[in-house]
Amino acid sequence: GENVEQHPSTLSVQEGDSAVIKCTYSDSASNYFPWYKQELGKRPQLIIDIRSNVGEKKDQRIAVTLNKTAKHFSLHITETQPEDSAVYFCAASKGSGGYQKVTFGTGTKLQVIP
Amino acid sequence: EPEVTQTPSHQVTQMGQEVILRCVPISNHLYFYWYRQILGQKVEFLVSFYNNEISEKSEIFDDQFSVERPDGSNFTLKIRSTKLEDSAMYFCASSSRRDIIMNTEAFFGQGTRLTVV
């Protein structure tokens, strides 16, 4: 089955700096890569996603890149703010026809220091 | 905006007891899922459900677990005889509107924290 590795496990940055989280996946059939932000005790919330036919996607301060050949994908957060502090999970899915069994990475705890 | 709802938010049960976790998926979604997250760990897939039957399950989903869609709205996860290691946050999710058969995101409920004592 799919295996998603995520690094680093913890990340501390100063407010205003950038944060980068990297993931790799194993199943070349995976075609959808969501990123979730999870605050303590709450549900995973989708913050951005990318599909395998796209190499990069940006939404305001958040961007994701995908390298299908290397099976790498990354999350970039620019101009970090204290409210960005949370656990971030990358994930991979090879859903088709709307089926979305998601395999999560191990999570990155991001701390933004004011 | 429609959302997945779960009840209860927190369930405490004694080891060996049966528990039923309830979920109401988004009304026009076709696929339903249960995930588990042990405290401080990643979210793990348990089972998916489509067209009134299990479509996929993980090795975590053993004979102690079962799922059911007893009516047109609820989707339940039953653990027959709870163990201490079943303590976790359980998330329900659903995906894919009936009128859009394509890759869409899975929407997660707010979770049920199960504590087995």
Side-chain angles (χ1 to χ4, degrees):
Chain A
E2 176 65 276
N3 183 46
V4 179
E5 300 284 339
Q6 183 171 350
H7 302 279
S9 57
T10 59
L11 179 60
S12 291
V13 299
Q14 292 289 332
E15 182 178 358
D17 287 350
S18 295
V20 180
I21 301 171
K22 298 184 178 183
C23 291
T24 61
Y25 62 99
S26 61
D27 190 341
S28 56
S30 289
N31 55 14
Y32 174 64
F33 305 91
W35 285 86
Y36 292 90
K37 177 183 179 181
Q38 188 179 34
E39 294 173 353
L40 192 63
K42 297 192 176 180
R43 79 182 84 189
Q45 292 256 334
L46 181 75
I47 55 171
I48 195 167
D49 55 17
I50 191 166
R51 302 192 187 279
S52 59
N53 58 348
V54 175
E56 188 172 351
K57 182 177 178 179
K58 190 173 181 181
D59 182 5
Q60 299 182 343
R61 297 187 295 109
I62 296 174
V64 290
T65 58
L66 171 65
N67 181 330
K68 278 195 305 180
T69 304
K71 300 200 195 77
H72 290 174
F73 58 118
S74 302
L75 176 73
H76 303 249
I77 306 174
T78 58
E79 300 171 27
T80 53
Q81 300 165 4
E83 51 265 37
D84 293 331
S85 296
V87 178
Y88 290 80
F89 290 96
C90 62
S93 169
K94 54 180 177 181
S96 61
Y99 180 58
Q100 286 294 357
K101 175 202 166 187
V102 178
T103 300
F104 285 81
T106 45
T108 296
K109 184 175 182 180
L110 174 64
Q111 182 183 21
V112 180
I113 303 166
Chain B
E1 185 177 331
E3 59 179 26
V4 177
T5 58
Q6 291 184 242
T7 56
S9 57
H10 191 190
Q11 172 94 43
V12 181
T13 188
Q14 287 203 324
M15 189 169 56
Q17 295 296 305
E18 174 184 286
V19 294
I20 297 176
L21 310 183
R22 301 179 192 282
C23 168
V24 179
I26 294 173
S27 64
N28 58 355
H29 278 187
L30 297 174
Y31 297 93
F32 314 114
Y33 316 83
W34 283 101
Y35 289 83
R36 178 182 83 175
Q37 186 178 32
I38 294 171
L39 187 64
Q41 298 186 21
K42 67 177 178 180
V43 180
E44 300 173 290
F45 170 78
L46 291 178
V47 65
S48 58
F49 194 85
Y50 170 70
N51 201 26
N52 288 318
E53 61 183 24
I54 290 173
S55 48
E56 194 170 356
K57 61 182 180 180
S58 72
E59 55 193 28
I60 301 169
F61 193 87
D62 61 22
D63 292 344
Q64 292 298 313
F65 291 89
S66 62
V67 290
E68 193 177 33
R69 190 155 160 82
D71 53 42
S73 59
N74 289 286
F75 178 50
T76 62
L77 174 69
K78 182 192 291 187
I79 309 175
R80 288 190 185 79
S81 177
T82 50
K83 303 186 285 286
L84 294 176
E85 53 264 39
D86 293 327
S87 295
M89 183 76 95
Y90 288 81
F91 292 104
C92 173
S94 68
S95 70
S96 185
R97 285 168 42 178
R98 292 180 189 279
D99 56 339
I100 302 179
I101 305 300
M102 59 179 285
N103 283 1
T104 59
E105 67 177 281
F107 291 81
F108 284 79
Q110 77 277 24
T112 292
R113 179 166 297 285
L114 176 66
T115 302
V116 182
V117 297

